[in-house]
Amino acid sequence: IYTLSLHDALPIFDSNTDDETEIRRCFKLAKSLNDQINEQIVNRQIVNLSMGMSDDYQLAIECGSTMVRIGSSIFGERTPNP
């Protein structure tokens, strides 16, 4: 018998918008779905909800993110490969 353990959730959103209202809506939806999943799982929960990057991490934290990806803020923007 095999079991599946979910530890982290990493929702992926359309990154073609700078509309804070739309980004907030997506973050809140992801948090709500994460909470619904956790209510259904007995004795195991998704521990990390990873959403938000360098440009929107503060908004993501406000909406319930427990892990953010801020590499560009630390290391700078990536240069595209030719």
Side-chain angles (χ1 to χ4, degrees), residues 17-80:
T17 184
D18 292 328
D19 181 359
E20 186 175 308
T21 302
E22 178 63 12
I23 295 168
R24 182 183 301 273
R25 185 190 70 76
C26 290
F27 285 159
K28 286 186 174 185
L29 175 61
K31 172 68 169 133
S32 176
L33 291 171
N34 186 71
D35 291 346
Q36 289 175 39
I37 291 168
N38 279 341
E39 288 175 9
Q40 306 265 333
I41 299 173
V42 178
N43 296 328
R44 294 185 180 142
Q45 292 192 332
I46 298 173
V47 177
N48 291 311
L49 178 58
S50 178
M51 54 185 188
M53 297 175 75
S54 293
D55 293 336
D56 56 13
Y57 73 92
Q58 292 172 323
L59 182 59
I61 291 168
E62 287 175 26
C63 294
S65 180
T66 60
M67 184 182 295
V68 293
R69 299 171 306 280
I70 56 170
S72 295
S73 291
I74 297 169
F75 302 110
E77 294 293 323
R78 288 190 209 176
T79 54

